[in-house]
Amino acid sequence: MGNFTSIVFDTACVRCRTRDGPVCGKCLLLLSGEPPTCPFCSRLRTEWTPCAFHRAQAVTAGISLAAYTADMHPLLWAAKFERRRVVAELLAQLLVRALAKTQWQPTIVTFVPSHWTKKLRRGYALSEVLARHIAGALNQPFGTLIATRRGISQVGLRRLERLENPRHRFFIRGPVG
């Protein structure tokens, strides 16, 4: 039988289930490298720039903590679908550190929104939690600049469909800057 904390709170690592959670030191190391991938779709790259697909969409830069692999799935799943906000905040802290290594000076921080029904069901929108934390850490304004239309969920779509689907689902709410 575990102690009171482990009975009341799940203290296991969300990835490997050791009792050193929410993310143990070993699993945290998986997020500390600089992955050779497109920061948007995880296509393999040799530098921190978007892949050809995203460059064609006028995306010029981005940050990724790690390629989306089976190792990363439990961390993102816990933060997004299991209401493990502490994991979401840890990911936000890691993104702030990664951003600090760049020369970027953002003037506003925004996010790609979830549909309001998903936000209600999950208790929060992961992208919004990450953006708010980053804006606060950087002492920069936070803005809701992107809106969503009803459409097909990304879940279950093939890779090319996941890359194309957002073009139809999201739009800029108003002038930026």
Side-chain angles (χ1 to χ4, degrees), residues 152-166:
I152 301 167
S153 172
Q154 293 284 85
V155 177
L157 295 180
R158 291 188 203 121
R159 181 178 188 79
L160 288 175
E161 293 168 327
R162 285 194 318 271
L163 293 173
E164 277 295 319
N165 189 36

Side-chain angles (χ1 to χ4, degrees), residues 7 12-13 18 22 27 31 34 41 46 48 51 53 58 65 71 82 87 90 96 98 101 109 113 118 126 148 163 176:
I7 293 170
C13 173
T18 62
C27 292
L31 297 171
E34 293 187 3
C41 67
T46 57
W48 278 87
C51 65
F53 176 86
L65 293 176
D71 286 335
E82 295 176 2
V87 176
L90 172 66
V96 168
K101 293 177 184 176
V109 179
K118 290 180 182 178
L126 177 58
T148 184
L163 293 173
V176 178

Side-chain angles (χ1 to χ4, degrees), residues 134-156:
I134 291 166
L138 297 176
N139 198 27
Q140 292 295 331
F142 170 84
T144 306
L145 303 175
I146 301 171
T148 184
R149 294 183 179 100
R150 293 188 73 134
I152 301 167
S153 172
Q154 293 284 85
V155 177

Side-chain angles (χ1 to χ4, degrees), residues 21-62:
V23 180
C24 72
K26 181 180 174 186
C27 292
L28 197 55
L29 286 175
L30 294 171
L31 297 171
S32 63
E34 293 187 3
T37 62
C38 170
F40 301 97
C41 67
S42 295
R43 284 190 176 107
L44 290 178
R45 303 279 302 143
T46 57
E47 53 197 41
W48 278 87
T49 59
C51 65
F53 176 86
H54 284 101
R55 283 194 310 271
Q57 308 299 313
V59 176
T60 58

